[in-house]
Amino acid sequence: MILTKTRTLVGNYSDLPVRAGYAVNINDTEIALFKVTNGKVYAIENRSPHPKGGVLKEGLVSGEFVFCPVYDWKISLADGKVQAPDEGQVKTYQVEVEANNVYIII
């Protein structure tokens, strides 16, 4: 079985706020987008891996990390891994920016 990935337009690069989350839904999957200060855009699952964790688009962004707004877990935007001493991981998604358009590849 061959899985085909889909490229979905999710917004304009210039409209994305810097260091703040922006949520989109693709096929019933809620994804948080983050544009960091170096201009790179990341897409991750929009829910902290903590069982009672918060919505990550509402988290504080520092560098290439977002902090869960409920339990303050530090999560890498690059690979989705929760930083020690906590454990866990959120799903990450490939992002492409082309001619001011932002696409997520699923």
Side-chain angles (χ1 to χ4, degrees):
M1 182 172 144
I2 297 174
L3 295 176
T4 304
K5 292 189 173 190
T6 303
R7 183 182 196 219
T8 303
L9 176 65
V10 293
N12 292 325
Y13 179 81
S14 57
D15 293 340
L16 290 177
V18 177
R19 297 183 58 207
Y22 177 82
V24 297
N25 283 299
I26 301 175
N27 301 330
D28 297 326
T29 301
E30 190 168 342
I31 298 170
L33 285 171
F34 296 93
K35 181 164 70 175
V36 297
T37 54
N38 67 7
K40 190 162 183 172
V41 179
Y42 294 98
I44 64 172
E45 181 179 359
N46 193 24
R47 178 64 63 179
S48 172
H50 186 283
K52 297 179 181 176
V55 176
L56 293 177
K57 76 169 188 158
E58 297 173 1
L60 177 67
V61 175
S62 178
E64 295 189 342
F65 296 92
V66 62
F67 290 82
C68 170
V70 178
Y71 290 98
D72 205 33
W73 283 13
K74 184 179 180 182
I75 301 167
S76 169
L77 294 171
D79 62 15
K81 292 183 180 175
V82 174
Q83 306 300 294
D86 302 306
E87 296 179 355
Q89 186 167 11
V90 295
K91 190 169 184 173
T92 60
Y93 301 92
Q94 181 181 350
V95 175
E96 292 180 357
V97 178
E98 182 179 299
N100 198 41
N101 294 318
V102 179
Y103 300 90
I104 294 177
I105 314 299
I106 294 181

